[in-house]
Each structure stands twice: as C-alpha cells, then as structure tokens.
Amino acid sequence: MKILVTGGAGYIGSHTTIELLDANYEVIIVDNFSNSRPIVIDRIKEISGKEVKFYEIDLTDKESLELVFKENKIDAVIHFAALKAVGESVKKPLEYYNNNIVSTLVLFDLMKKYNVRKFVFSSSATVYGNPEKCPILEDSALSATNPYGRTKLMIEDVLRDICFADKTIDVAILRYFNPIGAHKSGLIGEEPNGIPNNIMPYITKVAVGQLPYINVFGDDYDTLDGTGIRDYIHVLDLAEGHVKALEKLNEHPGLVTYNLGTGNGYSVLQLINAFSNASKRKIPYIISDRRPGDVAKCYADSSKAEKELGWKAKYGIDEMCQDSWRWQSQNPNGYSEYICEYNG
C-alpha cells in the first residue's frame, strides 16, 4: 500500500513514517517545512534503510497537491499537517482556522477526485475542552477551549458528515494527548521553529543552556501541586497507534475514534523533575500566570484502542524523558547545525 503522509517531516509524522516503513508500507511525504527541516527526510532514510518519496508542498495549494495524486496511486492518507500550538492559536486564530481547516478540505477534495477512501486523522485531546471527569472516554462531551482545539473539532465534524454521506469512505480519528520523547537512535526528535510552544522541547532547550528557564503557567489549579496535569505519551507509542489504526481500516471499514494516551496524568512539576533526573541537570523554572485556553487536568482512558486495535502505550515517563534528552544532547542545536551540510 502507498500511504500519503502529510506533515511527514514533522515531529509525529517523521516517527510514524518510520513505523510505516518498518511495516513495509510505501510512504509519500508532503511537507512545507513550516515547522520541520529538510534534513529529517535524510534521517528517516538513514534509520529505516528505505527510500521515501517527498514533495515540498503547502496543502492549501491545491494545484501543486494534485500533482502528488496524479503521479502516485495513493491507497490511504495519514494527515498530520497543521499548526498545533494552543497558546499561539489564541493569539493567531485566523491563521489557525485558515491553515488547518482549508488544508483538510483541499486534501479531501482531491481524495474524492482520485478515489482515495481511507483516511487517518491526527486529532487531539483538546477537543474535550475542560473535561468534567478524568480519565476521558471517547464518548465524553466535546467542547474545545481554544482555536487550535476548535479547528480539530471542526475537522472531526466534517469527517463525520462525510462518512455519513458516503459509506465507502473509511476514517480513523485519533485523539492523542501530549506527545514527548524521541526516536531511540537520537537522530530525530522534536525541533520546533523559534521559541518552543510545547513543554518538552522547551525543557530540553533549558537543559542545554539555550533558554534560561521554563515558565510554568499557573500553580493554583486543583491538582496535587497546583500545576496542570497531562497525559504524556511517547511519540513511538503514538506512531505505532497510527499504523494500528490503518490496519483497522483495512480489516474493518467505517468511521472509528480512539484516544491514544497512557491513562496516567503527570503534573508539569513532576515532568520537570523526571527530566531533571534523566538529564542529571537542574531545570530552572518560574511560576507564571495561567495561560489562556489551558485546562487543569487531561488524561485518557485508552481501553477502547487496546481492545479494538491491540494497542497499548509501552513507555513510562522516565523513558520518555531519557529519549528526549538523548535527542537533545546528541543534537544540541537541533537540526539547524546540519542545514548547511544538507543544502550544500
């Protein structure tokens, strides 16, 4: 099977691409490098020992994207490409709505034209908003609290409408929680452009001395230490979940929705302490005001994925931190130090 992976040079997309290649799928990557680096494509090839076809295209550019469908007989799409930072989405809502929603509509329009019927969507636990209780089940109330989450929820609604209208289209919606960690090789990991918006790359930048401290947004939540609690999941577990979801669509067509998380919640301070232990370095932090759009607690019940996909998260918080530190310590400047080598 040929799988189109949008955003395949990004953090989760690159790890999932390696899992797909290991499972003997052919992979075509589309990425515009808005939050990734070209060198990642070479790293994917180095780790997997396999070739990957690549197109540098923005998904909102329908004419360019159509070339991908014309040149390749695509069997399924895994859609990662999106702007993804909660805090940034509050400041730039129009950019998020335009990019995330329009790109998905363009993608689905071409899928319909070229008869591609299987689709795995990268959704998010943010669609649960401020959950009434934890752990969160897939049938919990949906209500996003920030523009990023609302783009994911809107796209989910679009997918449900499409599947209702056309029973031949198969969709897996994967709501994952807070990905951290990196590939065991240390060759690929999370490297956002500019100042990181997500917590783990921020912590790793502090650990290597590129940032002075981490801001902890709020210590007055109703939690064990006052800081927000999240379900941190290893990116390798998450990547495996996408391959399992694709297998599910091949065996049992339809529309399915799964949480991908560990079911364990850790506070921000617990995460900082775990990373400090893994790196053997002190991680300075300061307490700041709550961040708009954040919730106090968010962790998953992923028993449905375990039952129906045969998937369960394997890695704990300590190993997630160890792998994040291996990536950052081996690549203290991320991918940027390799840009000249790659372009040269």
Side-chain angles (χ1 to χ4, degrees):
M1 289 183 68
K2 285 188 178 181
I3 314 300
L4 172 62
V5 180
T6 72
Y11 175 45
I12 303 172
S14 59
H15 288 82
T16 301
T17 293
I18 290 169
E19 287 290 322
L20 288 166
L21 292 169
D22 286 347
N24 294 318
Y25 290 97
E26 292 184 60
V27 178
I28 302 156
I29 291 176
V30 169
D31 204 299
N32 66 357
F33 298 127
S34 65
N35 198 32
S36 58
R37 303 286 194 281
I39 189 64
V40 176
I41 305 300
D42 286 346
R43 295 285 180 91
I44 289 171
K45 294 175 183 178
E46 181 179 349
I47 293 168
S48 67
K50 296 181 179 180
E51 287 298 313
V52 177
K53 198 168 186 179
F54 170 74
Y55 294 82
E56 184 176 354
I57 293 172
D58 190 300
L59 288 189
T60 60
D61 182 352
K62 186 175 183 178
E63 183 178 348
S64 296
L65 185 59
E66 184 163 12
L67 182 66
V68 179
F69 285 84
K70 284 181 178 178
E71 292 183 351
N72 304 277
K73 179 64 179 74
I74 296 167
D75 297 296
V77 175
I78 302 181
H79 182 35
F80 293 105
L83 298 175
K84 62 175 187 175
V86 169
E88 184 183 61
S89 77
V90 175
K91 298 175 182 177
K92 301 178 179 180
L94 186 58
E95 185 176 342
Y96 271 67
Y97 287 119
N98 183 64
N99 182 85
N100 294 3
I101 295 172
V102 172
S103 62
T104 307
L105 294 177
V106 168
L107 181 60
F108 236 94
D109 195 37
L110 290 172
M111 286 175 57
K112 182 178 180 181
K113 182 175 180 179
Y114 289 88
N115 197 34
V116 181
R117 320 301 291 180
K118 299 187 185 301
F119 187 77
V120 179
F121 177 55
S122 167
S123 191
S124 165
T126 55
V127 301
Y128 294 116
N130 197 345
E132 295 180 358
K133 62 179 181 178
C134 289
I136 303 168
L137 291 161
E138 286 85 354
D139 60 1
S140 298
L142 304 178
S143 176
T145 62
N146 54 74
Y148 164 71
R150 279 188 279 274
T151 66
K152 292 296 187 181
L153 185 52
M154 288 178 182
I155 293 168
E156 282 197 16
D157 286 337
V158 169
L159 296 176
R160 284 185 279 269
D161 288 341
I162 289 172
C163 290
F164 180 81
D166 186 346
K167 305 301 183 186
T168 69
I169 294 176
D170 307 318
V171 171
I173 295 171
L174 302 183
R175 296 173 182 156
Y176 35 85
F177 284 65
N178 293 70
I180 60 175
H183 195 268
K184 297 293 183 179
S185 66
L187 289 173
I188 60 172
E190 188 170 13
E191 175 64 14
N193 291 332
I195 302 297
N197 286 295
N198 296 330
I199 187 168
M200 182 53 85
Y202 208 109
I203 291 175
T204 62
K205 296 292 187 185
V206 171
V208 294
Q210 293 182 10
L211 294 170
Y213 56 82
I214 184 166
N215 281 296
V216 176
F217 296 106
D219 65 347
D220 57 350
Y221 289 107
D222 183 19
T223 62
L224 75 166
D225 57 23
T227 63
I229 288 178
R230 298 292 182 268
D231 187 339
Y232 298 101
I233 178 173
H234 201 299
V235 67
L236 294 178
D237 281 329
L238 201 56
E240 183 188 15
H242 288 78
V243 177
K244 293 287 190 180
L246 188 59
E247 293 171 356
K248 172 75 172 179
L249 294 184
N250 289 331
E251 297 167 4
H252 302 283
L255 170 65
V256 290
T257 303
Y258 299 105
N259 288 336
L260 297 183
T262 66
N264 298 310
Y266 293 92
S267 74
V268 173
L269 292 183
Q270 285 178 316
L271 179 65
I272 291 173
N273 289 334
F275 188 86
S276 181
N277 291 334
S279 64
K280 303 294 188 287
R281 298 194 175 193
K282 182 176 175 59
I283 309 297
Y285 65 88
I286 63 171
I287 304 297
S288 303
D289 292 336
R290 292 186 183 191
R291 186 170 54 182
D294 278 348
V295 299
K297 299 177 184 179
C298 186
Y299 56 95
D301 182 326
S302 298
S303 56
K304 181 181 177 185
E306 182 177 0
K307 179 181 178 181
E308 297 186 11
L309 300 182
W311 175 91
K312 186 176 182 179
K314 299 188 291 287
Y315 300 105
I317 194 72
D318 293 332
E319 196 162 359
M320 296 181 213
C321 290
Q322 290 163 10
D323 292 341
S324 290
W325 175 236
R326 183 184 302 110
W327 148 253
Q328 192 68 76
S329 59
Q330 290 182 196
N331 304 269
N333 296 310
Y335 297 114
S336 59
E337 61 189 290
Y338 304 99
I339 290 177
C340 292
E341 174 187 337
Y342 179 88
N343 289 339

